[in-house]
Amino acid sequence: MNDMDMAIKIAKQVSKNGGQTFLVGGCVRDEILGKEIKDVDIEVHNIEVEKLLEILSSLGEVKKIGASFGVFNLKGYDIDIAMPRKEKSSGRGHRDFEIYVDPFIGFKEAAKRRDFTMNALMKDILTGEVIDSFGGVYDLKNKIIRHVNDESFCEDPLRVFRAAQFASRFDFKIDQKTIDLSSKMDLSALAFERVFEELKKALLKSDKPSVFFEALRYMNQLSTWFKEIEDLIGVKQPKEHHPEGDVFNHTMLVLNQAAKLRQDAKDPLAFMLAAMCHDFGKVVTTKIDENGKVTSYKHELESVKITEAFLDRLNKVNLKKEVLNLVELHMKPNQMYNIAKKKSMMKLWDKAICPEDLILLARADSLGRDKIHDYDEIEKILRASLEDYKNLMKKPQITGKDLISLGLKPGEQFSEYIKFGHKLHLSGVPKEEVLRHVSADINKKQLL
């Protein structure tokens, strides 16, 4: 039995006891938009909590994931089963709320706590009737993100980021009054985990992640959590290479190009974060000489430092290594694809943690500008070079066992010779010849 089948079964039992069960929130919104429903959330009205628990217990093992504010689950099902409730802010954070469960509060009052009209829709599971207390259907049809209630909206600062990521994911416009309220809210007390979740949705679920940042910019809400992005605004670039304008504009275009490629990335989130962070270093390296020439030498190295601080603030250490590697190397493929030295390309692929994602990032970076050009031939050359590297790595290399057979005892020199052998291997030197070089060096040192 799937989640929706169980939800219907719950609704039938609730109905027998005089209550009503509604699909709520995102699943109603997504159904109206013609999108696949992934999360089944239901809200049960007009029966007591004890009776609901009795019904749920008859259907399976009840998990009280939020019993103090009337939210339950059945083991084996991914369904949030909630009771109607009121919420009142008790602090500055996203979770600082006093919760009052009231099964008989009424449909409009229950929906009033929702963030946006499109998320305040309720659909009776058994009859299919949609309860639309705040004009959510109209706003969906007209692609508008509009808050439900002035007071309750401002009590939860995370809704600023939710508005931005919904605008990004659905390509909707945010209502001006919602923007005005959002621009006045203090975001500093939010937990980094919640901010990152909204960022992740924008990066991984949107065709145009740029809208997320552009919305926050329009709200004047970049500075608290995305100061590194805000700092890109106004940073000049050479017009002959970047007719799109400043580094902020370029980064937004790169993000949108990256979104077209992320399904092919080995690690889509690390890839999208690297696309977002790749030019952070231009803020501190950009120079304009007396002739108006704009340069940003070694900006990729400064980008690594700034990106590391950014990721540390979001506490995403598990992503850091690959993101920083992509940021550091993001310029190399486009600089080196047509050079004659095959060894340099082999060294590049060897240094890359995920060379496939590096090629995708190089493509997004190249196409992330107003200057239209064909990148397919460049990518073809890069991928052929990467294939050469993979074939090279399949060929035998020296091992610790080889070193022991040459009379070397395990120790510090082991790793030095292994690195030396690998370096020669990247240059195309066969294993037998590498062994001769190593053997000669060992004998020379022994004589000394």
Side-chain angles (χ1 to χ4, degrees):
M1 186 182 297
N2 63 31
D3 291 344
M4 188 60 76
D5 290 337
M6 176 52 75
I8 293 171
K9 196 168 185 179
I10 293 169
K12 288 178 178 179
Q13 292 300 314
V14 167
S15 180
K16 288 179 182 179
N17 287 273
Q20 284 180 278
T21 305
F22 296 89
L23 292 169
V24 293
C27 59
V28 184
R29 175 199 71 217
D30 290 347
E31 185 179 49
I32 293 173
L33 289 174
K35 297 179 180 291
E36 180 186 357
I37 297 176
K38 294 183 178 180
D39 299 317
V40 178
D41 296 335
I42 63 176
E43 194 168 82
V44 180
H45 286 248
N46 299 322
I47 65 170
E48 297 288 355
V49 176
E50 292 76 14
K51 176 55 69 174
L52 175 60
L53 283 171
E54 183 182 316
I55 291 170
L56 295 177
S57 296
S58 71
L59 297 173
E61 182 182 335
V62 179
K63 296 168 65 180
K64 298 180 180 180
I65 59 176
S68 61
F69 46 88
V71 181
F72 309 97
N73 195 291
L74 284 176
K75 186 177 180 180
Y77 296 92
D78 189 18
I79 310 172
D80 277 355
I81 306 161
M83 301 292 284
R85 62 186 187 265
K86 290 182 180 179
E87 297 176 350
K88 184 177 180 181
S89 176
S90 59
R92 297 168 58 216
H94 172 68
R95 298 183 182 275
D96 296 330
F97 283 90
E98 294 177 3
I99 309 296
Y100 306 94
V101 176
D102 184 350
F104 306 98
I105 196 175
F107 305 145
K108 186 171 183 177
E109 194 64 29
K112 188 178 176 181
R113 71 179 182 83
R114 300 283 177 180
D115 50 8
F116 306 108
T117 60
M118 65 180 185
N119 293 333
L121 296 165
M122 304 166 63
K123 180 181 177 181
D124 189 304
I125 291 182
L126 299 182
T127 69
E129 179 189 6
V130 174
I131 307 297
D132 183 9
S133 301
F134 298 99
V137 173
Y138 173 88
D139 286 343
L140 278 177
K141 289 180 178 178
N142 289 278
K143 298 186 175 184
I144 298 170
I145 297 170
R146 190 193 317 273
H147 68 284
V148 170
N149 177 269
D150 289 7
E151 183 179 354
S152 61
F153 182 77
C154 293
E155 287 179 340
D156 185 356
L158 187 67
R159 289 174 171 179
V160 172
F161 292 112
R162 283 176 62 78
Q165 66 97 347
F166 281 134
S168 180
R169 282 170 58 192
F170 301 136
D171 197 21
F172 281 15
K173 298 293 183 183
I174 305 173
D175 178 70
Q176 187 59 49
K177 190 175 180 182
T178 303
I179 289 174
D180 293 342
L181 288 174
S182 297
S183 66
K184 299 172 184 175
M185 293 163 68
D186 180 4
L187 312 183
S188 60
L190 287 170
F192 60 81
E193 297 96 340
R194 302 311 300 267
V195 175
F196 188 77
E197 281 303 307
E198 300 307 313
L199 170 65
K200 188 162 74 170
K201 289 173 186 175
L203 293 179
L204 297 183
K205 295 184 176 184
S206 172
D207 291 338
K208 292 183 177 179
S210 64
V211 175
F212 176 78
F213 298 103
E214 288 162 354
L216 292 174
R217 179 184 181 181
Y218 190 62
M219 296 172 182
N220 197 29
Q221 288 286 21
L222 278 172
S223 59
T224 304
W225 286 94
F226 299 105
K227 185 67 166 60
E228 294 84 354
I229 296 289
E230 185 178 55
D231 287 344
L232 302 178
I233 298 170
V235 177
K236 292 187 176 183
Q237 302 184 109
K239 291 181 180 180
E240 64 271 24
H241 300 301
H242 292 282
E244 70 278 5
D246 65 15
V247 182
F248 177 86
N249 288 337
H250 170 63
T251 300
M252 295 302 103
L253 290 171
V254 171
L255 276 172
N256 292 345
Q257 289 292 334
K260 298 176 184 179
L261 305 171
R262 66 178 173 235
Q263 65 180 9
D264 298 322
K266 301 288 186 181
D267 189 332
L269 182 55
F271 168 66
M272 291 302 296
L273 284 168
M276 181 182 77
C277 301
H278 77 286
D279 275 352
F280 279 177
K282 285 185 177 179
V283 174
V284 294
T285 60
T286 298
K287 308 288 183 190
I288 305 175
D289 68 16
E290 62 274 9
N291 297 316
K293 182 180 179 181
V294 181
T295 59
S296 53
Y297 296 126
K298 297 186 178 179
H299 73 270
E300 68 277 13
L301 301 181
E302 292 300 322
S303 292
V304 169
K305 296 176 185 177
I306 298 172
T307 300
E308 184 169 20
F310 170 77
L311 294 176
D312 285 345
R313 191 169 73 248
L314 289 176
N315 202 31
K316 292 295 160 186
V317 179
N318 58 319
L319 290 169
K320 188 163 65 172
K321 188 175 181 180
E322 184 174 346
V323 175
L324 297 182
N325 182 259
L326 287 170
V327 169
E328 180 185 355
L329 301 178
H330 78 269
M331 296 178 66
K332 296 297 184 182
N334 291 335
Q335 289 175 337
M336 299 171 60
Y337 77 93
N338 62 350
I339 64 174
K341 293 183 179 179
K342 181 178 178 180
K343 178 182 174 182
S344 297
M345 292 301 292
M346 296 302 102
K347 288 173 68 177
L348 172 61
W349 304 133
D350 199 59
K351 189 174 182 180
I353 293 173
C354 185
E356 292 86 356
D357 286 4
L358 180 60
I359 291 175
L360 293 178
L361 181 58
R363 181 183 183 94
D365 189 24
S366 182
L367 297 180
R369 60 194 74 193
D370 284 342
K371 186 178 180 181
I372 304 299
H373 63 282
D374 185 7
Y375 193 82
D376 291 348
E377 187 60 32
I378 297 174
E379 184 169 346
K380 184 179 178 181
I381 293 170
L382 291 173
R383 292 197 178 277
S385 173
L386 177 57
E387 191 62 28
D388 288 344
Y389 168 77
K390 290 180 177 179
N391 290 331
L392 182 62
M393 290 302 103
K394 293 176 183 177
K395 295 180 179 179
Q397 298 188 57
I398 65 168
T399 65
K401 189 176 180 180
D402 294 321
L403 296 177
I404 291 173
S405 68
L406 292 176
L408 195 67
K409 295 180 179 179
E412 185 178 328
Q413 283 186 309
F414 251 56
S415 61
E416 292 178 2
Y417 280 121
I418 293 292
K419 288 178 182 177
F420 174 69
H422 184 67
K423 184 178 179 181
L424 291 177
H425 186 76
L426 289 174
S427 299
V429 179
K431 179 180 176 179
E432 294 74 16
E433 190 174 337
V434 173
L435 284 171
R436 284 197 293 271
H437 280 289
V438 172
S439 179
D441 192 71
I442 290 173
N443 291 332
K444 181 180 178 181
K445 288 180 178 179
Q446 287 176 342
L447 290 173
L448 293 174

